[in-house]
Structures are given as C-alpha cells and as structure tokens.
Amino acid sequence: LPPYEILPGELSMEEMPPSTTEVTQSTTVVVEEPPPPRDHIVWSLFTTLYGNFCCLGFLAFFFSVKARDRKMLGDNSGARSYGSTAKCLNITALVINIVIVIIVVIVV
C-alpha cells in the first residue's frame, strides 16, 4: 500500500496533485531441505536372514542401525557415512550370494 499523508486543513482532495504510487515486487525463495540419508535397514535385515555369507549381512545390519541412530540425532553426515557402508556391505553380500548360486547350479 502507498504511504498515507495527512492533508493540510486548507487543502481538499480535488485540489491535490495526482500522486505517484510505487509498486514493489517481492520474491519468495523456497529452500528445500535435502532428503534424509537412507539407512538401508530393511535390505540389511533381509541380507542378514537370507544371505549372511561371512556375517556380511550382520555387519550391514549393524551399520544400518548406527545410521538410523545418527539420523535420529540429527547427524546427517554420520548417518550418510554409516548408510553408505551398510549399502556397500549389502551389495557385496548380494554379489557373493549370486555367485554361489550360479556355481551351485553349474555344478549340479
């Protein structure tokens, strides 16, 4: 809204010169927070139960729980680190299990 001024007593509205109004534009910046880091706890749980070669699934589950704890405390960098370690362990266990299944199928 334009600023309002008090009219002097001897002036009427008809005698007032036309005023210029200023138009201001505002810009709204929306800052999106990055998504929380993933902890891969479900994947680690299934790796622990179904493909626990050399306890890699158990280690992945351990790091997933640590990642979830860090995420709840608000330490996103620690949660990201533990989550990526759990992901690497899960991938390693999955690849080893696939290789073992392929070897068993070829031998049989």
Side-chain angles (χ1 to χ4, degrees):
L1 294 173
Y4 294 104
E5 299 176 12
I6 299 175
L7 291 176
E10 63 272 352
L11 224 74
S12 68
M13 283 296 288
E14 290 79 27
E15 298 170 354
M16 287 287 297
S19 65
T20 60
T21 59
E22 294 180 19
V23 177
T24 58
Q25 295 179 347
S26 63
T27 304
T28 304
V29 177
V30 178
V31 178
E32 294 183 17
E33 293 184 22
R38 299 192 56 182
D39 51 16
H40 307 287
I41 197 157
V42 175
W43 187 11
S44 299
L45 181 65
F46 284 121
T47 303
T48 301
L49 295 176
Y50 296 116
N52 199 9
F53 182 76
C54 291
C55 296
L56 289 178
F58 180 72
L59 286 173
F61 187 72
F62 173 76
F63 279 106
S64 295
V65 170
K66 294 285 281 184
R68 179 157 292 187
D69 289 343
R70 291 292 180 168
K71 186 168 58 172
M72 291 299 148
L73 291 175
D75 180 16
N76 285 340
S77 64
R80 194 173 296 114
S81 174
Y82 284 124
S84 68
T85 303
K87 181 180 177 181
C88 290
L89 289 170
N90 281 323
I91 290 171
T92 305
L94 179 66
V95 168
I96 290 172
N97 286 329
I98 289 173
V99 168
I100 288 173
V101 167
I102 290 173
I103 291 172
V104 167
V105 167
I106 290 174
V107 168
V108 170

